[in-house]
Amino acid sequence: MSFTGFDIVVIALVVLVILVVFAGVKTVPQGNKFTIERFGRYTRTLDPGLHLIVPFIDRIGARMNVMEQVLDVPTQEVITKDNASVSADAVAFYQILNAAQAAYQVANLELAILNLTMTNIRSVMGSMDLDELLSNRETINDRLLRVVDEAASPWGIKITRVEIKDIQPPTDLVNAMGRQMKAEREKRAQVLEAEGARNAQILRAEGAKQSAILQAEGQREAAYREAEARERLAEAEAKATRMVSEAIAAGDVQAINYFVAQKYTEAMQAIGSANNSKVVLMPMEASALIGTLGGIGAIARDVFGNPPASQPAPPAPQARPARTAPPVNPFNMPPREE
């Protein structure tokens, strides 16, 4: 198959059109931005989508990924403010906001961010004590983020986060910190135990105080009740005595006989129920009691006059003959006859 000159020209024109189309039509994927250079000079930035450029004059300068990216910061040695050596590593997150500045303001953007983060880690952590360093990671992260973001802002990037992943003190320092923590916890336990004992003693003392107060109040109430009972008893006794006196004054001899007999019986009961009374030698016969009442009645008749005929006089007590003991003969001699 032979080609004529016209066919060759047509084929060349078709190939040229295809080359022009490929050179002038550019597609930018999502999450990326392209910079356009014309004769080596930056002119504009292409956003994601389909774009037309001047073929063979304009060209793509830099393809920048504008999604948030992560940068791993390797482990490094840091000397703290109190001369303790620790190992620390971190991770940084950044995002390109201005593709032109990120492409033309700094060479090797990731290396620049990495070195900037490492130096600021040494600066921030080196200005803190070890205890403060281990207990204030959020403070370290905030300070690192603020410093690194401010330093990287002219490059058209935004440092979104800087996190310290791990801080490793030396082994001997970790052991010393463990012993210190144990001592602090034992001290705290002793303090809590002492406070608990003190509170228990205070509560026991307050309980004893309340118990004593309640006991005293109970004793006072009991004494008051007992005094009131004695007062009521005295009032009843006085009332009874007054009634007996009124009866005697009215000439009722039976009242005084009853009163005296009651007192006599109570006195005998008290004597008989005493603990130190073992033997009682006194007239316990009923005739003695009746004779006593009869004598009292005679005295009353002498004082108030003769009683009515309906009340017979009590019988007088009969005296018993006295018993005489036989004479004692210490030598057992026969009695002498007179």
Side-chain angles (χ1 to χ4, degrees):
M1 179 179 183
S2 60
F3 294 96
T4 62
F6 179 77
D7 294 334
I8 296 174
V9 171
V10 171
I11 293 173
L13 290 175
V14 171
V15 172
L16 181 60
V17 170
I18 294 173
L19 292 176
V20 169
V21 170
F22 275 101
V25 177
K26 298 297 181 181
T27 302
V28 180
Q30 185 66 37
N32 291 269
K33 288 186 178 181
F34 294 170
T35 60
I36 301 300
E37 300 176 356
R38 179 172 294 176
F39 301 114
R41 181 176 178 274
Y42 168 76
T43 56
R44 60 194 178 100
T45 301
L46 299 181
D47 295 327
L50 182 63
H51 298 275
L52 297 176
I53 62 174
V54 179
F56 307 111
I57 297 177
D58 295 338
R59 69 180 185 89
I60 297 176
R63 293 176 170 85
M64 307 302 297
N65 187 349
V66 296
M67 294 183 293
E68 187 173 1
Q69 302 179 61
V70 59
L71 184 62
D72 191 12
V73 180
T75 303
Q76 54 185 329
E77 296 292 330
V78 179
I79 305 298
T80 61
K81 186 178 180 180
D82 52 353
N83 297 324
S85 178
V86 297
S87 299
D89 56 352
V91 60
F93 297 86
Y94 70 95
Q95 185 178 12
I96 296 175
L97 301 180
N98 192 322
Q101 291 180 354
Y104 302 110
Q105 294 292 331
V106 61
N108 199 343
L109 179 62
E110 289 188 358
L111 182 61
I113 297 174
L114 180 61
N115 287 293
L116 182 63
T117 305
M118 293 174 63
T119 55
N120 281 281
I121 287 175
R122 294 192 187 98
S123 299
V124 172
M125 297 179 65
S127 62
M128 304 173 67
D129 294 333
L130 180 61
D131 294 337
E132 186 180 3
L133 187 69
L134 296 175
S135 59
N136 294 324
R137 289 197 180 188
E138 293 184 0
T139 303
I140 298 173
N141 295 335
D142 293 339
R143 292 178 61 181
L144 283 174
L145 178 61
R146 184 174 62 255
V147 173
V148 176
D149 182 54
E150 184 178 356
S153 58
W155 302 340
I157 62 175
K158 172 66 178 177
I159 305 297
T160 57
R161 185 177 301 176
V162 178
E163 297 286 343
I164 298 296
K165 291 195 298 184
D166 191 16
I167 299 176
Q168 296 180 353
T171 305
D172 54 349
L173 188 59
V174 172
N175 295 332
M177 292 173 62
R179 292 193 299 270
Q180 180 183 1
M181 181 182 65
K182 183 179 179 181
E184 289 290 337
R185 292 186 178 275
E186 291 179 353
K187 175 183 176 182
R188 190 181 305 174
Q190 293 177 358
V191 170
L192 292 176
E193 185 177 359
E195 290 180 354
R198 184 189 66 180
N199 293 333
Q201 292 178 359
I202 291 174
L203 292 176
R204 284 196 294 268
E206 291 180 354
K209 176 182 176 182
Q210 294 294 330
S211 177
I213 292 174
L214 294 176
Q215 186 176 3
E217 291 180 353
Q219 292 178 356
R220 184 184 66 179
E221 185 69 19
Y224 175 77
R225 298 290 185 182
E226 185 178 359
E228 186 178 2
R230 288 199 301 269
E231 181 181 359
R232 298 289 179 84
L233 182 60
E235 290 179 356
E237 188 72 20
K239 185 176 180 181
T241 304
R242 185 172 64 252
M243 294 176 66
V244 171
S245 300
E246 292 176 355
I248 294 172
D252 189 358
V253 181
Q254 296 296 331
I256 190 170
N257 292 338
Y258 173 76
F259 184 74
V260 172
Q262 182 182 7
K263 293 299 181 182
Y264 184 83
T265 306
E266 291 178 356
M268 295 301 295
Q269 181 181 1
I271 293 173
S273 62
N275 295 328
N276 56 355
S277 298
K278 303 301 182 180
V279 179
V280 180
L281 299 176
M282 57 188 305
M284 297 293 294
E285 294 82 3
S287 60
L289 178 58
I290 295 173
T292 303
L293 297 178
I296 295 172
I299 295 172
R301 284 194 301 272
D302 293 337
V303 176
F304 300 103
N306 294 325
S310 60
Q311 296 179 356
Q318 296 178 0
R320 292 184 179 183
R323 296 180 182 179
T324 58
V328 179
N329 189 358
F331 301 101
N332 296 324
M333 294 178 65
R336 187 175 56 181
E337 297 180 357
E338 293 181 359

